[in-house]
Amino acid sequence: LELRLNQELDHAVADLRTELNATLRPELSEVASGFLRDLTNGRYTDLELDEDYAAMLVDEGEAKGVISGGEEDVANLALRLAISQMIAERAGQPLSLLVLDEIFGSLDEDRRAAVLELLRSLADRFPQVILITHIDSVRDGFDRIVRVSFDVRRGVAQVRDEPVGGSDVAA
């Protein structure tokens, strides 16, 4: 009896995965493609997901077999944003917070600017966006900067607001 129950459960989970792949994967790919177009200024228009949800960039109708580190980062960011948006839509309300950690690492200056512009345009869906980065050149695109550093001498972390655009930020 227990073996049969486990087999039925295994079949049900397999059927659920098949159903999710058939319905969610195309929708997720479509939403991610929209973000990808924005992030690449139309250079790439489509992001496809294989059955394991690995992202593939489509260039002129052909899936690119080899992509650069920056292209991979942009594809993964588009996918993360699409997943976040779909969760928010299914929750019936916008998510109030989006946290992105080290998303600028392998991106050039133009792509960094495109990412900041896209994130600003998502304010209706994600009113609060926290970006964690070590790249100071993007700081002009932020509304508020909180710097976290470690004081080795005292053995404690220090957190402080930094001025944006030459003026102090109100807390």
Side-chain angles (χ1 to χ4, degrees), residues 13 75 79 90 111 120 129 154:
V13 169
L79 184 56
R90 280 161 175 70
R111 196 70 56 233
R120 286 195 179 283
V129 178
R154 293 179 31 217

Side-chain angles (χ1 to χ4, degrees), residues 102 104-107 109 112 133-139 142:
E102 296 298 344
F104 297 110
S106 60
L107 304 180
E109 288 298 320
R112 289 176 188 159
T133 185
H134 290 89
I135 299 177
D136 283 335
S137 64
V138 296
R139 69 180 284 135
F142 299 146

